[in-house]
Amino acid sequence: MNVEFRSFDADIVEIRSADSGDGMTFGGYAARYDSPSLPLPFIETIAPGAFDRTLKSKNDIRAYVNHDERLILGSTRAKTLRLDNRSDGLYSEIDLPDTTYARDLSVSISRGDTRTMSFGFSTVRDSWADANTRTLHEIRLHEVSAVTGVAAYPSTSATVRNLTVIAKRTATDLDELTDAIAALESGTELTDDQADVLISVVDRSRPAVEAVVDATPESTVTPMSLLFKQLDLIAKNL
C-alpha cells in the first residue's frame, strides 16, 4: 500500500480542558478542501467529499505525534479521536493522554510553536489536469498527526514513516535524521553533523544501498535522487 503524507497549517488550533474535566483536548484541521498545496513538485488539491467513504467505513483511525506510531494520541475506535468532515476540510479533535509526550505537545501548541497537522492516506481515485496538477477525489485515511517539525517529504518517496523505521533500525536519532533530510531538500548547506548522520545511515545499511546502486542506471542518478532511493530501499529491507 502506497501511503502518502500531506501537511497543513492547522489554522484553528485550540487546547482546552476536556469536557469530562480529565486532561486536555486538542483541535485543528488535518486537511483543507480546494486549497492548492505547495509544490510537491506538482500542485495538489483535495476535493470536497474525498474523505466521505473512508469515514463511513468506521475503520480505526489513529492520531500520532509526527506520524510516529510509538507516540499515539488517540483513536476513533476508543473515541479519543473525533473527525468532523466539515464543508471546508477535515477537522480533528483529540483527547490527549496523560503522557509526557502529550503534555509536551500541549505546551508547544499553547505557545504557538506547533500549528501544523498532517494526515497519512492512500489514493483511491484522483485525476490530473496536466502533469503538474492533481486533484484527490477519494482517499483512504490511515492516520492524522500533530507535527512539531518537518512533517513529510512529499516531493520524494521517502516518507516520514520510512524515516521512522530507518532511524529505529539503524540506531539513529529521528530528529537528527529529519533535520538532515530537511536541510538537504531545502538546499541548505549541511553541517558536519548532518552529513555524518546521512553517511552513517547509509553505511549501516550497506547491502540495501549497494542493491539500489546496482539497479539504477548511472545516467539517471543524481546525488539527491540516489539518496532517496537508498532511503526507500533501506526502509523496505529493514
Side-chain angles (χ1 to χ4, degrees):
M1 184 179 296
N2 182 24
V3 179
E4 302 179 60
F5 297 91
R6 296 295 183 267
S7 302
F8 292 82
D9 187 326
D11 193 20
I12 300 174
V13 178
E14 52 187 350
I15 285 283
R16 66 176 186 273
S17 297
D19 294 337
S20 63
D22 182 20
M24 304 295 288
T25 293
F26 156 65
Y29 278 92
R32 289 284 194 177
Y33 295 134
D34 291 328
S35 179
S37 68
L38 295 174
L40 300 175
F42 55 88
I43 301 297
E44 180 182 84
T45 58
I46 304 171
F51 292 98
D52 286 356
R53 181 172 293 183
T54 191
L55 295 179
K56 289 178 182 178
S57 70
K58 303 299 183 181
N59 291 327
D60 188 29
I61 310 299
R62 295 192 171 194
Y64 301 116
V65 180
N66 294 333
H67 302 288
D68 190 335
E69 296 178 357
R70 297 168 298 179
L71 305 179
I72 187 167
L73 296 173
S75 71
T76 54
R77 183 167 296 169
K79 298 183 179 180
T80 50
L81 166 64
R82 294 170 293 281
L83 297 171
D84 185 3
N85 198 10
R86 299 181 178 179
S87 60
D88 56 346
L90 183 67
Y91 190 83
S92 61
E93 189 174 74
I94 307 165
D95 296 334
L96 297 178
D98 186 18
T99 60
T100 300
Y101 60 83
R103 290 192 296 270
D104 290 346
L105 177 66
S106 69
V107 172
S108 180
I109 293 171
S110 298
R111 282 164 44 99
D113 299 329
T114 294
R115 294 190 59 83
T116 302
M117 291 200 70
S118 181
F119 66 97
F121 69 100
S122 52
T123 302
V124 176
R125 184 166 54 90
D126 64 356
S127 64
W128 294 81
D130 53 51
N132 299 311
T133 309
R134 181 195 196 192
T135 300
L136 294 171
H137 298 285
E138 183 182 343
I139 64 177
R140 179 181 175 86
L141 182 65
H142 301 295
E143 51 104 334
V144 299
S145 282
V147 178
T148 60
V150 179
Y153 308 95
S155 61
T156 74
S157 58
T159 64
V160 164
R161 182 163 296 182
N162 281 1
L163 293 184
T164 301
V165 171
I166 293 167
K168 182 177 181 180
R169 301 291 178 84
T170 60
T172 303
D173 185 273
L174 177 59
D175 290 337
E176 291 179 359
L177 178 58
T178 299
D179 289 344
I181 295 295
L184 192 65
E185 278 215 304
S186 67
T188 304
E189 184 175 352
L190 294 177
T191 66
D192 289 344
D193 287 342
Q194 289 170 338
D196 288 343
V197 166
L198 296 177
I199 292 170
S200 175
V201 165
V202 172
D203 284 346
R204 293 174 186 178
S205 311
R206 181 57 58 188
V209 171
E210 291 172 350
V212 73
V213 171
D214 291 342
T216 306
E218 186 176 353
S219 61
T220 67
V221 173
T222 65
M224 179 75 77
S225 66
L226 179 57
L227 176 62
F228 288 125
K229 285 178 182 292
Q230 290 171 352
L231 292 175
D232 264 349
L233 192 57
I234 289 168
K236 291 174 183 177
N237 284 277
L238 289 175

